[in-house]
Amino acid sequence: MKLATKYIHAGTEPDPSTGAIMTPIYQTSTYVQEAPGVNKGYEYARSQNPTRKALEDAYAQIENGKYGLAFSSGVAATDAVIKLLAPGDEVIAANDMYGGTYRLFTKVFAKFGIRFTYVDTTDAANISKAISPATKLIWIETPTNPLMNITDIAAVAAIAKKANVLLCVDNTFASPYLQNPLDLGADIVMHSATKYLGGHSDVIQGCLVMNDANLREQLYFIQKSCGAVPGPQDCFLVLRGIKTLHVRMQRHCENGEKIAHFLRNHPKVGKVYWCGFTDHPGYAVAGKQMRGFGGMMSFELKDDSAETARKVLAGTKVFALAESLGGVESLINHPASMTHASIPREERIKNGLSDSLIRLSVGIEDVDDLIADLNQAIG
Ligand SMILES: Cc1ncc(COP(=O)(O)O)c(C=O)c1O
């Protein structure tokens, strides 16, 4: 089935009781049983909910996986993956990734005895070198938030397989429309569904997709035992968002390409980070594993002061100054003080995330308005 057809029909069947074409919002906490243990497969809504089930099936289908699990946020999905581990286990993680993931690893899980080693995963050899007998999981993000670094998923999957280590890929920036990590050998794909999957900046949610039944059982056990499940209304919103993923992503990609080139040609703009440039270090790998380059990018101004960056951030009228990404509306963000503020400055700078870096989530408005807006704000 082609992507457009899959996204519109994924997970949804006409409702058996009424024929409703959209999966109803089953707003219930429990289900009446005919006799103790005799039920229609639903007992208590932390464990199962029909709206969530439709969405979890959709997640599996759009990521070419067998099983999907929905969580109350992207970080709750990440949290569930780390809970597969035990004290003493080690995770090799990318040194450039979403600040909240870094915070969860360093501030929450490190104190439970799980060890995290951060490496530059754009060179898969760094991962091979870092693997030890204690390594149980490799965690990568590609493209990364916010520097748009690219990691070769198939190369890392081969390393993980050889070392008998799980590979989880945060696929939030690409979305399933542009990249499917399970097809490239990953064990788990994770999304902040808050972003492109929901697509309308009106829901917080996360998901995991996998092929292995045993892994699914372990993660389902964590999902129901720890209870970070999304409500049915939120599941409905993401189910609806997925139906237009392809149309939105096409426009995100078109607008993204035009804006990346506009920025690169602007006399006041310094480095532009966008993986669709042919001279981007990850271009060849991105071209191999992605179907397009998306609408996320970051840039620095030639006048590299935080002050000048702040003026641009305050000066846009169509781009809204806000955290998050992947919605239909364009957003502008200052990673150093917003999305990545939880990473110590020294660590940030070492990994190339400067104080003046500006991140854009290019929306699906008319691109001429977006370019005019950036032009007047940059001055
Ligand atoms: C790449 C990436 N992964 C994970 C998350 C966390 O997702 P959530 O905010 O839905 O918990 C985010 C949020 O910005 C993100 O950008």
Side-chain angles (χ1 to χ4, degrees), residues 114-339:
I114 295 175
R115 291 186 287 129
F116 296 89
T117 302
Y118 298 95
V119 301
D120 175 1
T121 60
T122 59
D123 180 356
N126 291 333
I127 298 179
S128 298
K129 275 185 233 147
I131 286 181
S132 78
T135 309
K136 294 288 173 340
L137 174 73
I138 298 168
W139 183 279
I140 61 171
E141 208 181 281
T142 181
T144 58
N145 180 359
L147 290 173
M148 304 302 296
N149 286 320
I150 301 293
T151 292
D152 186 332
I153 300 173
V156 178
I159 293 167
K161 202 148 270 132
K162 197 161 152 223
N164 201 20
V165 166
L166 289 175
L167 170 63
C168 182
V169 180
D170 181 339
N171 201 27
T172 301
F173 259 42
S175 90
Y177 179 76
L178 297 182
Q179 178 172 277
N180 300 114
L182 296 182
D183 291 347
L184 300 164
D187 298 290
I188 308 171
V189 55
M190 175 265 161
H191 281 276
S192 167
T194 312
K195 311 295 170 6
Y196 287 109
L197 298 179
H200 295 76
S201 308
D202 52 10
V203 64
I204 294 281
Q205 195 172 132
C207 75
L208 300 175
V209 181
M210 70 262 16
N211 277 318
D212 183 78
N214 180 37
L215 194 52
R216 189 260 171 200
E217 275 321 296
Q218 291 179 59
L219 287 164
Y220 172 62
F221 179 80
I222 293 167
Q223 183 200 41
K224 74 173 180 191
S225 305
C226 300
V229 290
Q233 167 97 28
D234 285 355
C235 291
F236 176 88
L237 287 172
V238 182
L239 262 178
R240 188 169 69 166
I242 288 171
K243 289 179 189 291
T244 56
L245 180 66
H246 52 298
V247 187
R248 289 184 284 107
M249 287 309 298
Q250 281 157 16
R251 182 63 75 86
H252 284 297
C253 289
E254 282 165 27
N255 285 0
E257 183 173 357
K258 288 185 183 148
I259 289 180
H261 286 283
F262 156 76
L263 288 172
R264 186 170 246 201
N265 293 326
H266 195 290
K268 290 194 179 166
V269 172
K271 189 161 180 190
V272 182
Y273 301 81
W274 181 65
C275 58
F277 288 134
T278 50
D279 58 357
H280 184 286
Y283 179 76
V285 175
K288 190 178 69 168
Q289 67 190 17
M290 297 174 73
R291 288 184 279 269
F293 303 108
M296 292 304 302
M297 66 196 66
S298 298
F299 66 99
E300 283 150 1
L301 295 159
K302 281 191 182 144
D303 168 2
D304 195 24
S305 68
E307 186 54 34
T308 313
R310 229 170 273 140
K311 270 194 204 132
V312 174
L313 290 154
T316 56
K317 296 184 172 68
V318 182
F319 278 83
L321 177 63
E323 304 214 355
S324 203
L325 60 106
V328 290
E329 58 287 287
S330 294
L331 302 180
I332 190 164
N333 168 289
H334 182 230
S337 65
M338 296 167 74
T339 43

